[in-house]
Amino acid sequence: YVAVSGTYGGELTNGAAFTCQNNYILDKKIYIPSGKTLTIQPGTVIKGANNPVAAEKTALIIERGGKIIANGTESCPIVFTAQADPMDGTYLIKNNGMWGGVVLLGKATNNLKPSLNGPFTAGSGNGKLCVAGAEGLGVVEGFATSNPQDQFGVDITAGGSFDDNDNSGIMRYVSIRHGGAILSVGSEINGLTLASVGRGTTIENIEIVSCADDNIELFGGTVNLKYVSTLFGNDDMYDYDLGWSGKGQFIFGMKTDVAASADSDNGFEADTYDNSATGPLKSHPVFYNV
């Protein structure tokens, strides 16, 4: 483990292997760096600590070029949940935002344009997403723009090119519960965040339960979703923006109530900015069996 300045966390520089003989506690932001893999055995439980300071909230982040192999099974799923969850059915569904969530950062296409999409100012309500600087290179809300560990996409102004077949690994039969913590004022994280994740990544049989913000949010990318259920989230069930162009099949969502806010509680929220010749293209996913 090597600390990364400004993140209140650090990298597992050799990757890691989590086994179901152990329970694991994330007590800070844990990063899997480029070229390394986190392998999680079916049946493994990973819990996120509820650190009281927003910037120190816990999360698991797979960096660009890193991989997660979380290949659970129907009878032996992998579970991410809050540290306080005894997993005996007594932890209430209203317990949300107790830790961050799972974040995958990739190199697939997005449509970030600094003049239209940024800069994001936490707490300002300006409706823009955080941009790390160059067109095509972004950072998920709440994270530090100056750290490459937090960035997604590629710096096309420096000669980089998107990889729509980018592979961030496998997440199959994974349950993510009680996440969505606020990382900075006005900047919540989601249960599962997929930022410029490529279609080489497998995201199937995923369950998101009791997330304080969006259950799943996609920032661009080409990744496909299959067999995904979102339950009792506080905001949108599915939120996609920045030109996501993947496919979704067998998608389900259920909520406990409908809030008064016009900007929350959507089944699907598609955030599109300017679609003119000079603006970014809209997202254009394809959904089946919703």
Side-chain angles (χ1 to χ4, degrees):
Y1 172 84
V2 174
V4 177
S5 176
T7 67
Y8 297 97
E11 295 179 322
L12 299 181
T13 55
N14 292 322
F18 291 176
T19 65
C20 64
Q21 286 82 10
N22 303 306
N23 285 346
Y24 296 87
I25 305 295
L26 306 179
D27 62 353
K28 56 189 67 181
K29 294 180 181 68
I30 297 296
Y31 291 80
I32 304 300
S34 178
K36 302 300 178 182
T37 300
L38 170 62
T39 301
I40 305 176
Q41 190 179 71
T44 303
V45 175
I46 303 99
K47 294 186 173 185
N50 184 16
N51 294 343
V53 179
E56 299 181 25
K57 295 295 184 180
T58 59
L60 174 65
I61 302 100
I62 310 301
E63 297 176 34
R64 292 178 295 163
K67 284 187 170 62
I68 181 172
I69 306 298
N71 198 11
T73 67
E74 183 176 5
S75 61
C76 206
I78 293 163
V79 178
F80 291 86
T81 189
Q83 185 176 6
D85 182 5
M87 298 185 64
D88 60 2
T90 64
Y91 201 60
L92 300 179
I93 61 172
K94 69 179 182 180
N95 289 320
N96 56 42
M98 307 308 291
W99 67 292
V102 179
V103 179
L104 273 61
L105 307 174
K107 304 176 184 178
T109 299
N110 66 62
N111 61 19
L112 278 172
K113 293 183 181 296
S115 61
L116 295 169
N117 301 119
F120 171 82
T121 303
S124 70
N126 65 1
K128 294 189 175 183
L129 297 162
C130 209
V131 179
E135 182 177 331
L137 193 61
V139 67
V140 176
E141 293 177 40
F143 287 81
T145 60
S146 60
N147 291 309
Q149 291 86 355
D150 294 320
Q151 296 170 357
F152 64 86
V154 295
D155 187 349
I156 59 177
T157 63
S161 58
F162 292 116
D163 179 6
D164 285 345
N165 295 313
D166 190 31
N167 183 357
S168 296
I170 298 170
M171 293 186 70
R172 183 183 284 124
Y173 287 106
V174 174
S175 180
I176 304 173
R177 308 172 184 176
H178 308 288
I182 296 175
L183 300 187
S184 63
V185 177
S187 300
E188 305 89 356
I189 195 173
N190 312 286
L192 177 61
T193 301
L194 303 170
S196 281
V197 175
R199 64 173 68 97
T201 308
T202 299
I203 305 290
E204 296 180 357
N205 299 98
I206 303 295
E207 171 189 77
I208 312 293
V209 181
S210 297
C211 183
D213 195 42
D214 303 319
N215 293 281
I216 295 179
E217 183 159 8
L218 300 104
F219 296 91
T222 56
V223 65
N224 300 320
L225 308 178
K226 193 171 184 179
Y227 299 112
V228 179
S229 295
T230 72
L231 309 170
F232 317 126
N234 197 45
D235 198 359
D236 307 310
M237 301 179 191
Y238 303 87
D239 190 344
Y240 55 90
D241 41 57
L242 302 187
W244 175 51
S245 58
K247 297 180 175 67
Q249 186 177 27
F250 305 113
I251 304 296
F252 174 80
M254 181 168 66
K255 296 185 68 67
T256 56
D257 58 13
V258 177
S261 171
D263 191 43
S264 65
D265 298 295
N266 296 301
F268 296 89
E269 179 175 320
D271 293 321
T272 56
Y273 296 93
D274 183 80
N275 195 37
S276 67
T278 59
L281 297 175
K282 292 183 179 180
S283 299
H284 50 95
V286 178
F287 286 103
Y288 308 88
N289 309 99
V290 175

